[in-house]
Amino acid sequence: MNIVDGKDIETRLESAPKPERSRVREVLGRARELKGLSDPDVLTLLATQDPELVQECFDAARWAKREIYGNRIVYFAPLYISNLCGNDCPYCAFREANRSLPRRALSQDEIRKETEELIDQGHKRVLMVSGEDYPEGGLGYIFKSIRTVYSVRKSHGNIRRVNVNIAPLSVEEFRALKAEDIGTYQCFQETYHEPTYSRLHRKGSKADYRNRLEVMDRALEAGINDVGIGVLFGLSDWRFEVLAMLAHIRHLEERFGVGPHTISVPRLEPALGSPLSRNPPHAVSDQDFLKIIAVLRLAVPYTGMILSTREGVAIRRAALELGISQISAGSRTDPGGYAAGDQSESGQFSVGDSRPLREVVEDVLDQGHIPSFCTGCYRLGRVGKDFMDLAKPGLIKAHCLPNALLTFAEYLCDFGGPGLSKKGFAAIDRMIETDVPGPVRTKVRGLLERVRSGERDIYL
Ligand code: SAM
Ligand code: SF4
């Protein structure tokens, strides 16, 4: 399989002419048709540096984001269960050679406690994360941990969707993972630039570039419906990474009829005992980072985009406008971090936004977005290609927006307190009038009343 032709991408980047203004505007016009962009079009946007044209690119991305996703922002929290790892990625605090990190794999009881903490904060969706060395019977530890998370029930509810970010598996192993009822399988390529990848990953299972590149093929072959890809920005030239990631997406679409459910855009952050993380070889500026998000939004308008708390508050606010559809909040990146309270020194990397979930919810609401805790599509089986078929004609607004409003109403009733609840319910009322399509409006009002009188977990 030749998923990414690195040489070809390099040649195209080297020979790309400085784009004419008219050409950039022509591409942006095409982007507004919401059918995605070809590689030459993406190259044009990536090469655009004129501030006025970059602003026009941002305007188009902002418009596309609203057009497809409305103003919903979906929330999740990472759940780090183990920092044991046999690999040696020089950017990560969990790497085997980092002797300054206290090692810990949570027991099932500790995972239960972490889950309770997350439920008490209002979370409904977690991303389980682990280093690549599993205690207690290998992969079985992950399976057991997923079951533990799903089993926890509190008066304020439960975790309704567990996504996982773990090392690449075989087709057989993916079949077993699917049986655990996961949401999305997520794995980042780190860098698509093979020589850079090989230089940075010399040891352990991660040394095999192809094994990682082909992981989503194996996951989809095994019947995992939603997969999430990503690049760790800062390791190699970001323009190369964007084009390579789009080639990866195209490959999956051609082979399986559906691309990834989400794209993550982690940027290298300082990590304990990892000098490279403090000195990224290809540091991405804030402006370029926002451009990456805007260009991806236009290139693959229907693919969800995830931003974590690696980024600081100002960048997170700007990125939401330009294309991000899912964010984490109140995150701890060390196993046991939620029960312990404060973010410890021994997290996977330093967190840029350390505000608690409630504060982020209020800030995002004040910015004009609707916080969503929805997991409805996944539980109704609207996943993979079915989800994309639903999303593409814009029906997302008829399903996802009402579900976002209902889950936000749940959050307000259970965790909001008087001030936030007043503001939140006013926004919900406004949205029902202005954005929920006429035929479902009365139904949504009825469901909202049921939530207000104590019913939970209602979705369309
Ligand atoms: N160990 C598995 C792996 O490597 O795929 C999964 C978990 S790993 C903890 C999750 C991701 O964290 C990695 O894929 C990498 O992109 C990201 N990461 C590692 N070090 C980082 C750093 N210093 N800053 C930001 N993200 C980092
Ligand atoms: Fe281990 Fe993953 Fe960190 Fe690499 S990125 S050292 S594989 S936890």
Side-chain angles (χ1 to χ4, degrees):
M1 266 186 285
N2 192 15
I3 298 175
V4 172
D5 186 342
K7 282 265 161 288
D8 179 57
I9 294 176
E10 275 174 341
T11 310
R12 278 188 285 149
L13 279 170
E14 276 156 23
S15 56
K18 191 169 170 288
E20 301 282 334
R21 292 173 84 79
S22 58
R23 160 92 183 126
V24 177
R25 292 196 167 124
E26 184 197 311
V27 171
L28 291 176
R30 226 177 349 266
R32 284 177 186 260
E33 292 169 19
L34 300 178
K35 292 183 184 145
L37 293 175
S38 66
D39 272 1
D41 285 353
V42 170
L43 252 175
T44 297
L45 296 185
L46 293 178
T48 301
Q49 283 180 355
D50 177 331
E52 193 186 330
L53 293 173
V54 172
Q55 192 50 49
E56 287 178 30
C57 176
F58 285 2
D59 291 344
R62 200 174 287 115
W63 173 85
K65 160 89 197 295
R66 289 272 168 167
E67 203 52 28
I68 293 171
Y69 295 89
N71 57 358
R72 290 171 310 120
I73 300 292
V74 174
Y75 283 83
F76 74 97
L79 174 52
Y80 281 74
I81 58 168
S82 164
N83 61 14
L84 311 186
C85 193
N87 291 330
D88 199 25
C89 313
Y91 41 80
C92 178
F94 294 175
R95 71 201 177 97
E96 192 181 35
N98 183 9
R99 302 283 169 223
S100 48
L101 187 83
R103 300 290 163 166
R104 186 173 180 194
L106 299 184
S107 67
Q108 297 307 310
D109 211 37
E110 288 169 325
I111 292 173
R112 203 165 295 118
K113 287 202 181 76
E114 291 290 273
T115 308
E116 285 173 355
E117 284 291 328
L118 290 171
I119 295 171
D120 285 345
Q121 287 176 23
H123 281 291
K124 299 285 186 269
R125 178 189 284 243
V126 301
L127 171 67
M128 187 175 281
V129 187
S130 171
E132 198 173 335
D133 187 9
Y134 310 123
E136 295 173 30
L139 200 54
Y141 169 69
I142 301 285
F143 298 163
K144 218 195 280 178
S145 306
I146 295 169
R147 274 175 241 154
T148 298
V149 173
Y150 277 132
S151 73
V152 179
R153 292 279 182 287
K154 294 214 71 182
S155 56
H156 283 340
N158 59 310
I159 296 300
R160 298 171 183 164
R161 175 171 177 143
V162 179
N163 300 331
V164 292
N165 183 325
I166 57 170
L169 305 178
S170 67
V171 175
E172 274 316 303
E173 289 168 332
F174 273 126
R175 288 208 179 98
L177 182 65
K178 181 182 162 64
E180 297 301 332
D181 227 3
I182 59 152
T184 307
Y185 170 71
Q186 193 183 76
C187 181
F188 306 150
Q189 183 59 32
E190 318 299 13
T191 172
Y192 284 95
H193 191 253
E194 194 168 352
T196 305
Y197 184 96
S198 302
R199 197 161 23 82
L200 294 177
H201 305 99
R202 291 181 191 275
K203 194 172 168 275
S205 52
K206 204 158 166 177
D208 188 343
Y209 173 85
R210 298 245 134 234
N211 181 50
R212 200 160 179 99
L213 188 60
E214 291 169 9
V215 65
M216 296 313 176
D217 288 76
R218 296 196 297 278
L220 289 165
E221 250 175 84
I224 301 263
N225 293 303
D226 291 338
V227 297
I229 63 170
V231 158
L232 183 54
F233 285 101
L235 298 179
S236 187
D237 177 8
W238 59 269
R239 296 167 191 83
F240 178 95
E241 304 287 20
V242 169
L243 286 172
M245 184 147 62
L246 292 172
H248 191 185
I249 292 174
R250 229 173 7 248
H251 160 81
L252 296 175
E253 281 175 346
E254 278 162 17
R255 184 155 179 226
F256 298 97
V258 62
H261 185 63
T262 52
I263 296 173
S264 294
V265 287
R267 206 164 35 152
L268 203 52
E269 290 296 326
L272 182 76
S274 312
L276 182 128
S277 69
R278 289 171 199 279
N279 215 347
H282 290 266
V284 178
S285 70
D286 287 352
Q287 179 74 0
D288 286 341
F289 185 62
L290 293 176
K291 192 159 141 189
I292 290 169
I293 292 168
V295 171
L296 285 171
R297 181 70 301 139
L298 297 173
V300 280
Y302 293 95
T303 308
M305 238 195 295
I306 300 180
L307 192 69
S308 75
T309 56
R310 289 172 178 86
E311 298 299 331
V313 178
I315 284 288
R316 292 210 333 147
R317 284 189 185 133
L320 288 190
E321 301 289 336
L322 296 180
I324 296 297
S325 55
Q326 247 188 71
I327 57 171
S328 49
S331 305
R332 299 281 180 268
T333 65
D334 51 331
Y338 295 109
D342 286 343
Q343 171 79 31
S344 80
E345 281 280 285
S346 54
Q348 194 206 354
F349 45 78
S350 67
V351 164
D353 181 355
S354 56
R355 296 171 299 168
L357 173 65
R358 197 181 178 290
E359 222 176 284
V360 180
V361 164
E362 186 154 9
D363 187 39
V364 164
L365 179 68
D366 288 344
Q367 241 190 297
H369 302 283
I370 287 288
S372 171
F373 295 87
C374 183
T375 54
C377 279
Y378 149 72
R379 289 153 81 220
L380 284 168
R382 288 195 298 252
V383 289
K385 189 164 177 347
D386 291 346
F387 174 82
M388 285 300 173
D389 288 346
L390 179 79
K392 282 193 173 158
L395 282 176
I396 220 166
K397 279 188 187 164
H399 288 270
C400 299
L401 177 60
N403 288 341
L405 297 176
L406 294 170
T407 55
F408 183 38
E410 274 191 10
Y411 177 85
L412 293 172
C413 292
D414 294 339
F415 309 96
L420 177 58
S421 291
K422 189 162 176 238
K423 241 194 302 194
F425 277 113
I428 292 174
D429 284 340
R430 266 197 314 276
M431 291 289 302
I432 292 179
E433 281 313 309
T434 56
D435 284 56
V436 172
V440 279
R441 206 171 288 153
T442 313
K443 187 168 183 190
V444 174
R445 285 211 173 280
L447 296 177
L448 189 64
E449 268 325 298
R450 282 167 55 190
V451 171
R452 293 190 84 146
S453 38
E455 234 181 289
R456 292 289 172 270
D457 205 10
I458 307 176
Y459 47 91
L460 280 178

